[in-house]
Amino acid sequence: MSQSDAFSRSRRRLLLGGSALALAGGAGWLRPARANGQHSAYFQGLNETLRHQDRYQPLLVIDRQRLLTNIDTLSQQLAGQYHYRIVAKSLPSIPLLKLVMARANTRRLMVFHQPFLNQVATDIPEADVLMGKPMPVQAARRFYREQSRVEGHPGFDPARQLQWLVDTPQRLAQYDQLARELDQSLQINIEIDIGLHRGGVQALAELDQMLRRIEQSPRLQFSGFMGYEPHIVKAPGANDWLRDQAMARYQAFVDQAEQTLGRSIRDLTLNTGGSTTYPLYRDLQDHIAPNEIAAGSVLVKPTDFDLPTLSHHEPAAFIATPVLKVLDRTEIPGAPGLGRVMGWWNPNREKAIFIYGGYWKAHPESPSGLTTNPVYGRSTNQEMLNAGANFALVPDDWVFLRPTQSEQVFLEFNGIEAYDSARHQLAGHWPVLRQHSV
C-alpha cells in the first residue's frame, strides 16, 4: 500500500468517525435525561414501612388517606345533584366497598359478575344493586339458586334491591320466562346505546316493544335506563359537544318511555357516566335526563385515568414488590454489547433490577427512572427493570408500580393492604371478592 493510499484511508476513517460523533452529539438532545433513581419522600416512607413487616412478596397497597380524599373530591363534584352509584368491579373488596359507601353516604352499587353479586347480597344486605352488563339468564338463575342456600336468608331482597340489565327483546323474553319459573318478581333496567355502540337498545321502536312486554308481564317491573358514555372523553378537543349529543339521545329514550307508559319515569334509575366523565355533568341536572352517576376507578386512579377531567384526583393504589437482584450493567442474552449500547443511549438502562414477580398491567412509578426493558422480555417470576447508575436501592428494598386499571389487577393479589400514610403504617388487610362461586 502506498503512503498516499494509507493517508487516504486514515482520512476516510477520521471523517467517518467525526461524522458519527457529530451525529451522536447532534442527536444528544433526544436522549432521555438521567433520573435521580431515588424514592420520593412519600415512597421512601412506604418503603421503610414495608421493610418492617414480614410479608416479603408482591402486595397491592391502597393509601387510605388518598382514597378518602378522592371520595370527598367526587362527592364535592357531584354536589348532591346526582345519586352516586359505586362501580364494584373497580373496587372489588367488601371492606373497601363498605368504606366507600359510608364515606360517600350511598347504598348504590353497580355489579358486573354473578359470584360478586352473591357476595354483595350476603355481606352488604342493605345494598341497592344495578347490574352493569346484561348477564346470561343462566347466571341470573344461578344467583337465585345460590342465594336461596344462604343460611338465615339475610335481609337482601332481590325483588326490591336488584335491577337486572337487559339489552334486547330476546334477553327480555328469557328473563320473563325465568321470573315465571321462579315465581320471582324482577326489576328490569334497559341498556340504551347513547353513542358508545357497544350494544344496548338503539331504536325507539324496539324500546317501545320491550316496555310493552314488561308492562304486560305480571312478574317484571321497569326500573329505568343505563346509558354508558366513556367515548365522550376520547375525542380530541372539548368534550361538551359529544356529551350533549349523548344526553340528547338519552332524553329521546326517556321521552319515548314516558309516551309509551303514559307516566313520568323521572323517579326511576336513570344511570349514566363513569370515572372518566363524571365531572362533565356538574350543574347540568336541570338540563339532562340522568339522575345518577356511576364511578369507581377514579377513587384509586390507575394510570388509564390520568386524564384532564380527573386532574383533581390523586393516585391511591400501588403494586409494591421486593427487589431481588441489582446488577451493575444490563446484558441481553445472545446480543453481546446491546445492553451497553442501550445504556449509552438511555442512561436509565445502565443497571438491571430483578423484582419479585412482574408482568402486571402496571407501569413503574418509583424510584424515578425505572423502566421495563423492551428487548429482554417480560416475566411473571423475576421481571427485569432498568435503572441508572445512581439507582440506590438494594435487595430487600421495595419498588412501586401503578396499575393501569384496578378491577383485574386487584384480583391478582391475595387481598389489599390498607396503608396509613399519615402514620407510616399498614392499617388493615381487605380481602378481594371471589371470582368463582363456592
Side-chain angles (χ1 to χ4, degrees), residues 71 74-75 78 82-88 91 96-110 124 126-130 271 291-296 299:
I71 298 169
L74 181 142
S75 297
L78 294 180
Y82 304 92
H83 301 297
Y84 171 45
R85 190 172 294 276
I86 304 165
V87 177
L91 307 166
L96 175 55
L97 289 172
K98 286 182 175 180
L99 186 154
V100 177
M101 291 171 72
R103 187 76 168 197
N105 191 28
T106 182
R107 296 171 45 244
R108 301 179 186 224
L109 299 179
M110 182 176 282
I124 314 179
E126 71 274 20
D128 175 288
V129 177
L130 169 63
N271 178 274
N291 56 26
E292 79 166 28
I293 302 290
L299 302 184

Side-chain angles (χ1 to χ4, degrees), residues 87-298:
V87 177
K89 71 178 175 65
S90 303
L91 307 166
S93 163
I94 293 295
L96 175 55
L97 289 172
K98 286 182 175 180
L99 186 154
V100 177
M101 291 171 72
R103 187 76 168 197
N105 191 28
T106 182
R107 296 171 45 244
R108 301 179 186 224
L109 299 179
M110 182 176 282
V111 178
F112 293 74
H113 189 37
Q114 174 262 314
F116 292 179
L117 177 59
N118 282 99
Q119 291 169 75
V120 165
T122 300
D123 296 333
I124 314 179
E126 71 274 20
D128 175 288
V129 177
L130 169 63
M131 297 306 293
K133 63 186 176 190
M135 300 298 293
V137 72
Q138 292 288 16
R141 180 177 282 106
R142 179 161 188 148
F143 163 76
Y144 288 106
R145 184 169 67 247
E146 293 187 4
Q147 188 67 11
S148 68
R149 297 172 181 167
V150 177
E151 286 188 22
H153 297 285
F156 185 84
D157 180 4
R160 295 185 304 103
Q161 295 172 250
L162 174 59
Q163 301 176 54
W164 294 103
L165 193 67
V166 170
D167 58 333
T168 64
Q170 294 76 21
R171 199 182 304 275
L172 179 60
Q174 291 177 329
Y175 274 76
D176 193 5
Q177 179 62 33
L178 177 67
R180 295 172 188 271
E181 289 176 13
L182 301 179
D183 193 23
Q184 172 76 48
S185 295
L186 304 184
Q187 293 192 76
I188 301 297
N189 191 292
I190 297 178
E191 180 182 17
I192 55 177
D193 181 2
I194 57 174
L196 180 59
H197 305 323
R198 193 179 65 180
V201 177
Q202 291 186 329
L204 296 181
E206 186 175 66
L207 172 65
D208 184 76
Q209 173 191 349
M210 294 172 70
L211 289 172
R212 292 186 187 280
R213 174 150 193 164
I214 293 171
E215 287 290 286
Q216 293 166 4
S217 172
R219 291 297 184 186
L220 301 185
Q221 179 182 353
F222 175 57
S223 64
F225 290 133
M226 192 277 279
Y228 187 39
E229 36 58 301
H231 63 285
I232 69 178
V233 295
K234 296 181 179 179
N239 310 112
D240 293 354
W241 70 276
L242 266 178
R243 177 203 61 199
D244 294 345
Q245 188 180 77
M247 291 302 101
R249 181 77 176 149
Y250 206 122
Q251 185 66 56
F253 282 107
V254 171
D255 292 343
Q256 181 63 41
E258 292 184 336
Q259 179 180 329
T260 300
L261 300 174
R263 62 180 184 270
S264 172
I265 66 166
R266 305 306 168 114
D267 60 337
L268 302 184
T269 298
L270 302 177
N271 178 274
T272 195
S275 286
T276 60
T277 61
Y278 91 87
L280 301 177
Y281 294 101
R282 180 160 182 167
D283 299 327
L284 294 180
Q285 75 275 18
D286 294 332
H287 307 286
I288 63 174
N291 56 26
E292 79 166 28
I293 302 290
S297 295
V298 68

